[in-house]
Amino acid sequence: MADVTAKRRGRPPAGGREAILKAALELLRERGISRLTTREVAARAGVSEASVFYHYRDRAGLLREAFAEGLGPLVALKDAGAVSGPDRRKVLKRLGEAIERFLEQALPVLTAAQSDAELAEELAAYMRENDLGPHRGVRILGEYLAEQQRDGLIRADIDPEAVASMFVSTCLTRAFQATMRLPKRSLPPLSAVIDSLDRMLEPGGGPPPV
Amino acid sequence: MADVTAKRRGRPPAGGREAILKAALELLRERGISRLTTREVAARAGVSEASVFYHYRDRAGLLREAFAEGLGPLVALKDAGAVSGPDRRKVLKRLGEAIERFLEQALPVLTAAQSDAELAEELAAYMRENDLGPHRGVRILGEYLAEQQRDGLIRADIDPEAVASMFVSTCLTRAFQATMRLPKRSLPPLSAVIDSLDRMLEPGGGPPPV
DNA sequence: GTCTATAGGTTGATAGAC
DNA sequence: GTCTATCAACCTATAGAC
């Protein structure tokens, strides 16, 4: 949130603050929030425990910034996906994989916050304010599908946003599976989902019944 | 796991054990796992703290049983859904709502375990052994769709399991949204999803393009 | 089976020197 | 900004009486 471009006066920071945040995020993803003690964070960051409190005031303050940091990449999701072009299957593949990648980073952070009701409510408020959540992906894909629908590339009798929510949800489930340490292969591969969905979206409908 | 039907000898249990488990599960869902201390559990259950250790050996033992208890209703999912009949929309609605209801109870438990890497791995092993997870719902719905497909009620050019995973995932996302204390209405309603999906599954395909 | 009392250990946070 | 030293609070778990 700070202005990185402005020239700084005085002694440049030693990087302790960033090291602490990085250590906290690593610990959060690797060992879970209950093992994220200020002691461990300090040890991994290579600073003393008091530094943690100097920079972030208290444990909750550190967690708050770690959550925001962990959810950050979501902002760049739209550009990364490059959700445009006539090749629908390609768009679905690109966007789907991008969502999945992002969620595999973000879900551990989201679930970690649920360990404490207060933390969870605080994070939820932050997400509501910044309009974060699965609906973001749904909206991005929904707009693309609506555009294709206007161009007659998608059948007219479906709700683009509803279909988008199905696809984004599929990616979420896959990322969820991975986050919960369950085997992804117990679910059908994303390519199969894209296959079927693409056919069902075709304007002419499927082949005539046998 | 104990045989409830067998007649018991001796003094009947006072119900302390059950009260403790119930209190633990409540605390888990209401306030998160980090506030689930043996003190609080004992207080809410109306017993002494030592009773908790007498019945469950240690905190981990209590959590293990609470997790199993919280995931229990999944077993009854198939029967509850009554996944059969020619009215596809009705089946989707019933099953979808059942999955959503179940997950809104189970997700808090699943996410709670993620607070500690060891706990998470232990729960994951339990779920793998007992074949639990989102794929269960996918399989149930997939079989129903495959059956409809054989009967010519669903277009032949789609993968039933892939479509099933999309629908089940939609329910999971909705439950996830609720668990994370985010507004469900930022997602399209389930009825809209069922609407579009049902049309896309129709054997003849959609109406001819304008 | 349930209780009281307490040991033993970990954690978040502060004070004050450098 | 960073450190060492320290504290008060809290938690899990055990011992032993009833």
Side-chain angles (χ1 to χ4, degrees):
Chain A
M1 324 279 179
D3 187 357
V4 195
T5 62
K7 285 183 186 170
R8 293 240 178 74
R9 291 190 195 202
R11 183 177 179 174
R17 192 185 159 88
E18 289 72 23
I20 292 170
L21 192 60
K22 181 166 171 283
L25 209 45
E26 282 176 15
L27 234 40
L28 203 67
R29 291 183 171 136
E30 287 172 23
R31 307 184 46 192
I33 194 172
S34 74
R35 302 285 184 92
L36 173 63
T37 66
T38 52
R39 262 180 174 68
E40 285 276 337
V41 170
R44 185 176 286 222
V47 300
S48 85
E49 205 180 341
S51 274
V52 176
F53 291 93
Y54 172 79
H55 285 295
Y56 296 97
R57 189 164 161 263
D58 55 14
R59 183 177 186 261
L62 173 60
L63 286 177
R64 236 175 274 137
E65 300 229 16
F67 290 158
E69 176 88 0
L71 265 43
L74 178 56
V75 184
L77 193 72
K78 180 160 185 176
D79 315 311
V83 188
S84 66
D87 191 341
R88 192 167 58 222
R89 295 171 52 95
K90 204 160 200 163
V91 167
L92 287 175
K93 185 166 185 292
R94 265 206 309 258
L95 180 65
E97 284 170 358
I99 291 179
E100 219 173 306
R101 261 196 312 273
F102 162 69
L103 284 178
E104 282 177 18
Q105 298 283 93
L107 283 187
V109 175
L110 282 182
T111 61
Q114 306 304 314
S115 68
D116 184 285
E118 270 188 46
L119 270 181
E121 187 43 59
E122 197 177 323
L123 181 60
Y126 173 80
M127 291 180 71
R128 283 192 295 263
E129 281 168 23
N130 293 76
D131 193 36
L132 299 176
H135 65 280
R136 278 286 280 271
V138 172
R139 198 184 305 153
I140 292 174
L141 179 57
E143 282 167 9
Y144 169 74
L145 293 179
E147 191 188 310
Q148 282 224 326
Q149 199 177 42
R150 276 194 300 275
D151 295 348
L153 299 169
I154 283 183
R155 55 196 295 169
D157 62 343
I158 56 97
D159 177 354
E161 190 136 332
V163 173
S165 93
M166 281 198 280
F167 183 72
V168 171
S169 294
T170 308
C171 303
L172 188 143
T173 298
R174 295 175 60 78
F176 183 81
Q177 192 88 347
T179 301
M180 297 291 155
R181 296 152 203 258
L182 297 173
K184 253 191 194 175
R185 45 183 160 12
S186 58
L187 294 171
L190 192 60
S191 60
V193 172
I194 294 178
D195 255 39
S196 290
L197 181 57
D198 183 60
R199 288 205 188 93
M200 291 194 296
L201 284 173
E202 212 62 39
V210 192
Chain B
M1 321 287 179
D3 187 358
V4 196
T5 61
K7 283 183 186 170
R8 293 238 180 73
R9 290 191 194 201
R11 183 177 180 175
R17 193 184 158 88
E18 289 71 24
I20 292 170
L21 193 60
K22 181 165 171 282
L25 210 44
E26 282 176 13
L27 233 39
L28 203 67
R29 290 181 173 137
E30 287 173 24
R31 308 185 45 194
I33 193 173
S34 74
R35 301 286 182 91
L36 173 63
T37 67
T38 52
R39 260 184 176 64
E40 286 277 336
V41 170
R44 185 175 288 222
V47 301
S48 84
E49 209 178 339
S51 274
V52 177
F53 291 93
Y54 172 78
H55 285 294
Y56 296 96
R57 188 163 162 266
D58 55 13
R59 184 178 185 260
L62 173 60
L63 286 177
R64 236 174 275 138
E65 299 229 18
F67 290 157
E69 177 88 358
L71 264 44
L74 176 56
V75 185
L77 192 72
K78 180 159 186 176
D79 315 311
V83 188
S84 66
D87 190 341
R88 194 166 58 222
R89 296 172 51 95
K90 204 160 198 165
V91 168
L92 287 175
K93 184 165 186 293
R94 263 206 309 256
L95 180 64
E97 284 169 358
I99 292 179
E100 220 172 307
R101 261 197 312 274
F102 162 69
L103 284 178
E104 282 177 18
Q105 297 284 92
L107 284 188
V109 175
L110 282 182
T111 61
Q114 306 304 313
S115 67
D116 183 285
E118 269 188 48
L119 270 182
E121 187 44 58
E122 196 177 323
L123 181 60
Y126 173 80
M127 292 181 71
R128 284 191 295 262
E129 281 169 22
N130 294 75
D131 193 37
L132 300 176
H135 65 280
R136 278 287 279 271
V138 172
R139 198 184 305 154
I140 292 173
L141 179 57
E143 281 167 10
Y144 169 76
L145 293 180
E147 190 187 311
Q148 282 225 325
Q149 199 178 40
R150 276 194 300 275
D151 295 348
L153 298 170
I154 283 183
R155 55 195 295 169
D157 63 342
I158 56 98
D159 176 356
E161 189 136 331
V163 172
S165 93
M166 282 197 280
F167 183 72
V168 171
S169 294
T170 308
C171 303
L172 187 143
T173 298
R174 295 176 58 78
F176 182 82
Q177 193 87 346
T179 301
M180 298 290 156
R181 297 151 202 258
L182 297 172
K184 253 192 195 176
R185 45 184 157 18
S186 59
L187 294 171
L190 192 61
S191 61
V193 172
I194 294 178
D195 254 38
S196 290
L197 181 57
D198 183 61
R199 289 206 188 92
M200 291 194 295
L201 285 173
E202 211 62 39
V210 192

